[in-house]
Amino acid sequence: MAGMLLLATPAFGQKPIKKPEKPIKTTTTAAPSRPATPKPPKVNVQPSDSPVSELDKLRRDAEQGDAEAQYALGFRYYNGDGVTQSYSEAVKWFTKAAAQGEDMAQFVLGGCYVGGYGVAQDVEEGVKWWRKAAVQGNADAQYWLGLSYANGTGVPESSTEAARWYAKAAEQGQADAQLSLGVCYDCGYGVTQDYTEAVKWYRKAADQGLADAQFSLGMCYANGIGVPQSEAEAVKWWRKAAEQGNADAQYGLGLCYANGDGVSQNSTEAVKWYKMAAEQGHTLAEMGLGLCYFAGEGVTQDFEEGVKWYHKAAEQGDADAQNGMGGLYEQGLFGVSQSTQLALYWYRQAAEQGNEEAIEALQRLGYYNGSSSTGTESGHEWVDLGLSVKWATCNVGASSPSEYGSYYAWGETQPKASYTESNSSRYNMSMPDIAGFASYDAAYNNWGSSWRLPTKAEINELISKCHWVWTTKDGVSGYAVIGQNGNSIFLPAAGYRSGTELNKVGEFGDYWTSTPYEGDSQNAYYLYFNIESYYKDWHDPRITGQPIRPVYGKTVASITYNAQTSQKSKTAYSNSGTTAKKSSSTKSSKKSKKSKQKTGPHKRKGVVAAKVILSTVFFPYGLLSLMMDSYSY
C-alpha cells in the first residue's frame, strides 16, 4: 500500500525512546563545562554586603591556616562574592584547604583541574582530588568519580568501579548518582541486571525532581519493567518531566494523548506536546507533528507545515524520515513536486544507514547494487553525480564535507595570509585554462595528478544537471548538490578572502574554476551562490582568496605553456557538457552580489526550494509504528 499515511501509533508497551546502554556519560571529560558549584562553606561567613572587617577576619583566619576559612575564602573568589571573581585566586585557597583534607575544597579543586579553571587543565590531577574527597564520603565527588570510570577519563574505564561509586553517592541521596545507578541496574552495567533495583533508584531520583529520572520511571511503568504496567503512572511521571522541559517525556506524553493511553484521547494535546519536543530537535516528535499536519489531526491540515517538520527529522539524519522523504518525492504527495532525483537522494541517505525500505525502493528504481557510487583517489573521496567528471566530497585543505578548507588566489597553489593585487602572481597575466597545470592548479598541486580544478563548463554542468538545495551539514550552511542518480555533494558557504579578512562565511559560496575570463587578464570564472540562488558565468578578480572543490576522471591534454610569452602549444582543455548562455552582467566587486538581480530556471522558489523537503514514503504498518520498532527492548 503505497502513499497511505496512517496515524497508527505503537502499542502502549512499545517504548518511545531507547534506553541508554550505559549510564549517562559526558562527551569529552568527566567534568562539567565549568567547575561544579560548591556548597556553601561550613564556616559562618557573612553575606557579601557584610562589613569589610568580616572579610578581613576570614582572610586572616585563612592565612593562619584554618582549612574551613581557606575553603570559604576560595568560595568567595570562585563566585565573586564580595571580592573580584578570580578562579586562579580561588584555586590558590582551595589548594591550601584541600591539602589539609577539606573534602569540599578537594571536590571543587578537582573540578577546576578537569575543566581548566584557574589552573592548567589536567584531568588525571582532577580525578585524583575527586578520589580524595570521595574516600572521605563526599557524595558529589563520589558521583563524579563514578562518571570518570564510566567515561574512562583520568582513569581506566571500568563499569564495576563506576557502579560502585555511583552506589556510594546514591546511598547518600545524590540524585544524579541515583539516576545513573538506576540505569546501571536497568542495563546490567557493572552490576547484575535487576529491574526492581532500577525502579527503586529511578524513583528516589524522581522524587527529588530530577526530570531524566522521572522520564525513566515513566518508561518502566509504560513497559511494565520492574513494576506492574500502568498507563496512568507512566503519564503521571512523564508529565512531571515534560513540564520541566524533558523532550523525551514531552514526546511520550504526546504519544499517550494521540493513543488515549492513560489519558483521554486528545489530538490537540498530542500536537501541543509533540511541538514542544520537536522544537528541541526531537526527531520522532518532528515526524509525529508532521503526520498530524498531514492528516489534520489536532491541528488545521497544512501539507507545507507537515513537510517542514518531517524534513527537519530527515535532515537530522533519521533514516525513517529520510525514507519518508524519498517516498514523498517519488509519488509527489502532500504538495511536494514529484522528483525522482530528490527521491533517489533521500532513499540513498536512508539506505546508507541500512533502512530496508529505502534499499528496496532503490532496487525497484534500478539504482541499488549494494554499493554507493563513490571511491577514493590519492586518499581523497569522490562521488559520481552522473556527470562528465567525478566530484570531490571535500574542499582542498578540508578533512570533511562541511569544512571550508584553504583559500587560494586564482592560479596560485598555496594559501596565504593576505590576498591583494600586490602579492598576486597571476593578476593581469594572459593565461590559458589552467586545469592540470601543476604550477597553477591548486587541486593538482595539493592532491596529485588525478585531481584538478573544474572548468567553467563543468561548473555549468553541475548547475544545469543537478538539483540544488540550501541546507545545513554539521551546523554549516551551504548547498546539497544532488545528481540525477540521487548521489550528492555538500558545498559549504565558505565565503571568500580579501586582504586579511574572511568575508560572508555562511552566506556566500565562491569556488574557482580553471577558466580565465576572456574579457581581460585580471579576472577568472568562478561558481557563486547564496541562499537565494546559484549562478553561472560569473567572474571575479584573480586576487580574491576562494576555496576549491576538485574534480576527477577526465584526462587533461598535455600542455606546453610559456609564461613569459603567454603562448600555449595546444588547447589546454577540451571543455564538454552543457555550456550556459553567458550572463549579460558581470561582477566588478563583491558588493554587487547583493544588489544584482538574478533570473533563470535555477532561482529557487517558495518553501520547496528554500530547504530540502520531505519525500513520499510507504507506510504498510503506519509510520509511527514503523518508527518505533527499533525502540522496544
Side-chain angles (χ1 to χ4, degrees), residues 402-415:
S402 59
E403 290 183 13
Y404 300 142
S406 301
Y407 295 77
Y408 301 87
W410 190 84
E412 299 181 10
T413 59
Q414 298 300 319

Side-chain angles (χ1 to χ4, degrees), residues 449-515:
S449 59
S450 296
W451 295 96
R452 59 175 175 79
L453 277 158
T455 64
K456 181 184 76 167
E458 288 159 354
I459 288 291
N460 289 346
E461 179 187 36
L462 187 72
I463 291 176
S464 300
K465 295 186 178 181
C466 293
H467 188 93
W468 289 57
V469 183
W470 184 265
T471 184
T472 58
K473 185 177 182 64
D474 303 325
V476 175
S477 297
Y479 274 99
V481 184
I482 306 163
Q484 294 176 351
N485 59 7
N487 288 329
S488 65
I489 59 173
F490 177 73
L491 293 175
Y496 62 93
R497 287 193 175 277
S498 178
T500 59
E501 300 296 320
L502 178 59
N503 305 282
K504 300 298 181 181
V505 170
E507 299 180 48
F508 291 175
D510 294 16
Y511 287 80
W512 282 126
T513 76
S514 62
T515 308

Side-chain angles (χ1 to χ4, degrees), residues 13 135 159 212 242 301 379 391 446 463 465 521 523 565 593 604:
V135 169
S159 60
D212 289 340
Q301 188 176 52
W391 282 83
N446 287 277
I463 291 176
K465 295 186 178 181
S521 58
N523 289 265
T565 62
K593 289 180 178 178
R604 299 177 301 114

Side-chain angles (χ1 to χ4, degrees), residues 456 460 517-520 523-526 528 534-540 580-589 592-600:
K456 181 184 76 167
N460 289 346
Y517 175 55
E518 306 93 331
D520 58 47
N523 289 265
Y525 285 103
Y526 77 116
Y528 165 59
Y534 33 93
Y535 310 102
K536 304 176 182 179
D537 298 323
W538 280 61
H539 55 84
D540 204 23
K581 182 179 179 180
K582 183 176 179 181
S583 171
S584 60
S585 60
T586 59
K587 182 176 69 71
S588 60
S589 70
S592 66
K593 289 180 178 178
K594 284 189 175 181
S595 61
K596 194 168 292 296
Q597 186 70 28
K598 311 296 189 284
T599 60

Side-chain angles (χ1 to χ4, degrees), residues 138 157 168 193 195 205 254 322 332 356 365 395 435 482 555 574:
N138 184 290
E157 183 174 352
K168 288 180 180 291
Q193 191 173 50
Y195 293 135
Q322 291 169 340
E356 293 183 2
L365 295 171
N395 292 346
I482 306 163
T555 304
S574 177

